[in-house]
Amino acid sequence: MTDRRLEAKLGFDKVRETISNRCQTEYAADRVAGEEFSADPEEIRRRLLLTDEMRLILMFEDNFPTTGYIDALPFLEPLLKEGFSVDKLSLAKLASLLELSRKTSQFFITIKDGVYPALKKMTSKMVSFPEVRRRIESILDKYGEIKDSASEELLHIRQDLRAKEAAISKKATAILNSAKADGIVDGDASVSVRDGKFLIPVSTSSKRKIRGFVYDLSASGKTTFVEPAEIIELENEISELRFEEAREISHILYLFSEFVRPYVPDLIETARVLGEVDFLIAKAQTALDYVAGVPVISVDGSLSLRKARHPLLEKSLKKEGRQICPLTVELTERKRLLIISGPNAGGKSVCLKTTGLLQYMFQWGMLVPTSESSELPVFDRILVSIGDDQSLENDLSTYSSFLADMKDMLAKADERTLILIDEFGSGTEPAAGGAIAEAILAEFDRRGAYGVITTHYTNIKLYAAGENTHAVNGAMLYDTSRIAPLFQLKIGLPGNSFAFELARKMQLPEPIVKDAENRAGEEFVGIERNLRKIARNRRVLDEKISKVKKTDKNLEELSEQYERELEDIRSRKKEILDQARLEAEEIIRSAGRQVEKTIKDIKESQADKAKTKEARAELSGFISALEEKKTKERKDHDEYIERKKALLDKRKKPVKNTEESREEAFRSAPLKIGEKVRVKSNGMVGEVVGVSGKRVTVVIGNITSKLPAERVERISSNEFKEASKKTYTPVYEKRDPAITARRLNFSPELDIRGERLQSALDIVVRYIDDAQMLGIGSVRIIHGKGTGALHDEIQKYLKTVPGVISATDEDIRHGGSGVTVVTFE
């Protein structure tokens, strides 16, 4: 079982939360929550290897799919039962799952054998389902909607639907024209569309002259809106076709479910493997954030942390623009209990918690932020006593809580236990507390336990300095000149509390500090003074040794450099001489041939001046060609050197691979059906159920909305769960009562039919001003069709108004060109 108290004390609960927040699926988040501390070296090695391979993939492989992971088990597992059928959304999710499976399998197929072997073996369990993919493609279009061609019956139904919908508009127009011809309806009247129904406006006195149903009355009661009986019949037919359409879609999905049922066990296994991949991606991304690597599993029981960094502290310091001081901790079978002492706020607790957290991360299967030459053993358990667990309810004081921890540790401690105790023995009278602490320490030593313990007690330091114990002192170094901690651990030396120095730094009166030194006794002050002297001398010695080592290293590097350069010069000299010799021989041969030819030409021409001049010019040209060849060779050589230099400069340029870029890539990658998203403007979260071009359909609670893709961002499964728990409280603004009243009385629909042009424009101008002032999203202006003059002038005006995104005609079923829909920013 996971020890939540232990994880909270070490800080691993925050590491677990960080990994969980990176998971895209609930499966992966549950894996993070369920993964436990392991004491099996082979299992630890397997977990580390998988995580490290994924880390390398994220670093070096651009074509590995890192987004698009969705939860498929909730709809796949019920498919095992006979009669269960998938819905349209689940089918779209299954298509996404199969596409991701194909990409992942293809990636590992193209990778050479021996590269990423553990991940390759894990993903080999995934099965390709080309026939299932083909069937889904025959049912769904690229936007996740059922195709007309999914079945012949559905094709016929949808063709009838489109025909009936087109017939309604034509029928309504024909009835209106007939009514106008009969004088029942005014000549300038038009078909009105309300709630999706096509209505004929007639005077109330003539309402019975049109066969149909009264749907609405005008505000004055003079006009009655009648829904013709012929249109009602068409709408009833459309409703029947809609029902048939839904029934046929259900039938198609049922047939697909029956087809895919034999593949479900393999599909479930594939979904679980992809869930594991998502889990490993989250671990690897966190490891990259921590700059973590794989330590060596110790075979001799030694614990060696080199350049170890506490990941949570490092991240916190980085925000403040500060750097962490890496620690080196060594525990061996001979010296397995490290007793750390030093001043308060000097880093003792950080050293202890770093050791505990990194050991726990290692045995949980997480890469650790240390040098990869670090070695860690495998413990059966980690026992801690960190912080104050005092409780008024249980009548536990600070020291009682400490003793309760010691009792629990003594009941479990053995040679495969790591013990971590902060402020060992404090909380009671120093003499008694120190004695009890020393007795407990001796028992831990006898049992062979490993441990890191912090203390201020001198008797504990003296115990660690003994030759016959398995304990060793460690000091947190302190700069006595500045009275400031260095946050460096030095194993082999006991630490000094620097209490008197701190008292002087805090400007406590000197007589009081002197009196305190006298009361402490000469022996205590002498021990503290000697410890300071030892620490100071050790630091000076370390600095000198460091300088000597650095000088030796520089001399060695210089010597190697000179040897290399000398060897290069010798090699280059030989090459130049050999090349020069060959070139000289070739020049001599060429010159000899040219001279002979020149002499021959002169003899044959019998010293003809023109011929002699031409021969000399040819010889001169030959010499010039030789010079040009040498110049070109020098130029080519210089260009070669410049190219090499540019290439080296390019290699030196750092490559950006930051956590921010990975986060941005995750948020902005193309969305897929089934992924979780957050609306940027208000923080509300939902699930993608459809993707159509640059718009996505998102289910938020019980509401389905179509939004532009840029208005939402992908989030992890864990972020979705956390956000779903929150209750979104609307932000109330303080408004002027007059504005509030205007908002309450404002209608999103303005009817200006019957108004003259100028009067109508004045009304529209005031109405648009009110709508913008009140923050209305869109409004409808009903102006009728008539001659079209009012329609044109209103739309021409609206195009000049700042803040108006669009002014377009309404849908034909809701008024067409007789209504203008205005949308604001």
Side-chain angles (χ1 to χ4, degrees), residues 51-105:
T51 307
D52 191 50
E53 286 184 5
M54 185 58 71
R55 178 180 69 97
L56 295 174
I57 284 177
L58 295 183
M59 289 174 66
F60 302 115
E61 307 290 350
D62 294 331
N63 57 340
F64 183 81
T66 57
T67 59
Y69 291 83
I70 59 171
D71 287 296
L73 293 179
F75 66 83
L76 283 176
E77 289 176 341
L79 268 177
L80 291 169
K81 302 173 185 175
E82 290 293 332
F84 186 85
S85 178
V86 296
D87 56 20
K88 184 178 69 175
L89 176 59
S90 297
L91 188 61
K93 287 183 178 181
L94 181 57
S96 298
L97 177 78
L98 293 176
E99 178 62 15
L100 183 64
S101 171
R102 184 191 66 78
K103 289 181 179 179
T104 306
S105 297

Side-chain angles (χ1 to χ4, degrees), residues 521-775:
E522 185 60 34
E523 182 180 356
F524 175 81
V525 175
I527 292 173
E528 293 285 300
R529 189 180 297 116
N530 288 332
L531 286 174
R532 288 199 302 275
K533 187 176 180 180
I534 291 169
R536 187 166 54 251
N537 292 340
R538 180 61 182 263
R539 190 164 63 254
V540 171
L541 181 61
D542 286 346
E543 288 174 359
K544 289 182 178 179
I545 291 172
S546 177
K547 286 180 180 178
V548 170
K549 286 182 177 178
K550 188 175 181 180
T551 304
D552 287 347
K553 185 178 180 182
N554 289 340
L555 286 173
E556 191 175 330
E557 289 176 353
L558 280 172
S559 178
E560 289 177 358
Q561 182 181 344
Y562 292 153
E563 286 292 334
R564 286 195 302 271
E565 289 178 358
L566 185 59
E567 186 62 33
D568 288 344
I569 290 169
R570 287 170 181 162
S571 175
R572 185 65 178 155
K573 179 182 177 183
K574 186 176 182 303
E575 288 176 6
I576 291 170
L577 289 173
D578 290 344
Q579 184 67 26
R581 191 178 296 111
L582 291 172
E583 288 180 358
E585 290 173 357
E586 180 59 29
I587 289 170
I588 291 169
R589 284 195 296 269
S590 298
R593 287 194 297 269
Q594 188 65 31
V595 169
E596 288 175 3
K597 181 177 181 298
T598 303
I599 293 170
K600 182 181 176 183
D601 290 344
I602 292 172
K603 284 180 177 180
E604 288 177 353
S605 64
Q606 296 180 352
D608 181 80
K609 287 185 178 181
K611 288 287 185 178
T612 302
K613 189 176 181 181
E614 184 180 342
R616 285 177 177 172
E618 189 175 347
L619 181 61
S620 177
F622 172 73
I623 294 169
S624 299
L626 286 177
E627 290 297 328
E628 187 177 340
K629 180 182 178 185
K630 288 181 180 180
T631 303
K632 185 177 183 301
E633 287 176 351
R634 283 197 300 271
K635 185 179 178 182
D636 291 344
H637 179 68
D638 292 342
E639 288 179 353
Y640 171 76
I641 290 173
E642 288 299 322
R643 286 199 303 273
K644 292 292 284 183
K645 185 178 178 183
L647 183 60
L648 287 172
D649 290 341
K650 185 178 179 181
R651 287 178 180 172
K652 288 178 182 177
K653 290 182 181 178
V655 179
K656 294 185 179 179
N657 185 18
T658 62
E659 169 63 18
E660 288 80 6
S661 63
R662 291 196 300 274
E663 178 77 10
E664 184 181 350
F666 170 73
R667 300 290 187 199
S668 60
L671 293 168
K672 296 181 180 178
I673 293 173
E675 292 186 320
K676 308 296 190 297
V677 293
R678 174 168 49 225
V679 181
K680 293 178 182 177
S681 59
N682 57 25
M684 299 185 75
V685 297
E687 182 178 356
V688 177
V689 297
V691 180
S692 176
K694 294 184 179 180
R695 299 182 72 83
V696 292
T697 304
V698 182
V699 173
I700 303 173
N702 296 324
I703 300 173
T704 301
S705 300
K706 276 194 175 183
L707 301 168
E710 64 268 13
R711 286 186 58 192
V712 299
E713 61 180 359
R714 178 187 287 102
I715 58 174
S716 66
S717 178
N718 204 59
E719 288 175 307
F720 176 78
K721 287 194 289 186
E722 288 298 320
S724 298
K725 296 176 184 176
K726 296 179 182 177
T727 303
Y728 289 92
T729 305
V731 179
Y732 295 100
E733 299 178 9
K734 186 175 181 181
R735 295 183 181 274
D736 186 278
I739 294 178
T740 304
R742 288 176 73 177
R743 176 179 283 277
L744 291 173
N745 295 325
F746 185 84
S747 171
E749 192 171 273
L750 174 66
D751 191 341
I752 54 172
R753 287 176 294 184
E755 297 287 343
R756 293 185 177 274
L757 177 60
Q758 190 57 48
S759 173
L761 282 174
D762 291 341
I763 294 170
V764 169
V765 169
R766 290 194 297 274
Y767 181 72
I768 293 299
D769 286 345
D770 286 349
Q772 289 185 314
M773 182 180 70
L774 298 174

Side-chain angles (χ1 to χ4, degrees), residues 455-520:
T455 188
H456 287 286
Y457 287 161
T458 303
N459 65 310
I460 302 297
K461 302 177 195 177
L462 293 173
Y463 178 90
E467 294 183 1
N468 299 322
T469 69
H470 295 89
V472 63
N473 275 306
M476 299 308 298
L477 298 184
Y478 206 76
D479 187 340
T480 53
S481 62
R482 295 188 300 112
I483 314 297
L486 297 174
F487 302 107
Q488 296 174 11
L489 174 66
K490 179 61 68 176
I491 295 177
L493 288 176
N496 189 334
S497 66
F498 292 96
F500 300 125
E501 286 77 2
L502 282 170
R504 288 190 172 93
K505 182 184 179 182
M506 299 304 295
Q507 298 182 349
L508 209 64
E510 183 61 26
I512 292 177
V513 178
K514 284 286 186 184
D515 186 33
E517 288 179 336
N518 293 333
R519 290 174 184 275

